[in-house]
Amino acid sequence: MDDFKAIQVRREDDNDVEVVHNPTSYPVIGRGHHGAVFKISSDKCVKIYVKPKHILKESEALKIAQDSPVFPKLYEVGDNYIIMEYIEGPTLEQYLASEGEITENITQKILFLIQEMKRLNFFRLDASLYHIFVTNQGELRVIDLVSHMKKRYDRPEKLMNGLKKLGLLPAFLEQVNKFDPQSYEAWKDFKEWKKSE
């Protein structure tokens, strides 16, 4: 299974990472600014990074989050990779687009997710909808934690930008007001914020 170590990736300019060399049969299941992710078994994936500093940042966040149900399990950290739990299911963006609505249940799970980030002392209390997965059991899981310990986001701007694009932000904020009035007060002026994505 160590043959994934021969995979090579690179990033040019502001584009997503591209796979330069993959001598394995492991499929690419995701590419971003910091690395490419390959499924290596039914329950594990490996993220191959361009820069070692991003391995350090993401592994630090994952280690802190190991007791939380909303983040992937961490299995191994190497020179250019991290092996973590493979999350089966659609992204929250895909899920909400197909449903056409946001339920109170999903809103409560988003609030729990943000509370977990606070509890873990993450600087970034936010995640893009495409970095949140809905598992087959209906739970939310967050991936791509490279900047959660470094970049400060006190409000979930990327998340709310995603909901705004789907036309679901008013319903979400109405539900937040019901379940967490304090967060609602902090977020209700979102429409006046500068777009952060």
Side-chain angles (χ1 to χ4, degrees), residues 111 173-188:
L111 289 170
L173 288 174
E174 189 177 308
Q175 292 170 14
V176 169
N177 192 26
K178 178 179 177 180
F179 298 115
D180 186 351
Q182 188 176 352
S183 291
Y184 173 77
E185 286 302 314
W187 302 346
K188 67 181 180 181

Side-chain angles (χ1 to χ4, degrees), residues 32-59:
H33 283 340
H34 308 297
V37 183
F38 301 81
K39 185 176 179 181
I40 58 174
S41 73
S42 62
D43 63 343
K44 292 180 182 175
C45 61
V46 64
K47 186 169 181 179
I48 308 290
Y49 295 80
V50 176
K51 297 181 179 177
K53 69 178 183 178
H54 295 135
I55 299 166
L56 186 64
K57 289 178 182 179
E58 187 146 26
S59 64

Side-chain angles (χ1 to χ4, degrees), residues 14 28 31 35 40 69 72 74 82-83 87 89 97 103 129 147 149 153 155 160 165 167 174 178 181-182 195-197:
D14 200 30
V28 178
R31 292 183 307 121
I40 58 174
L74 173 66
I82 292 177
I83 297 176
I87 310 295
T103 63
L129 294 182
S147 60
M149 299 304 293
Y153 282 77
R155 304 193 283 190
M160 289 203 278
K165 286 178 190 172
E174 189 177 308
K178 178 179 177 180
Q182 188 176 352
K195 190 169 178 284
S196 66
E197 276 192 314

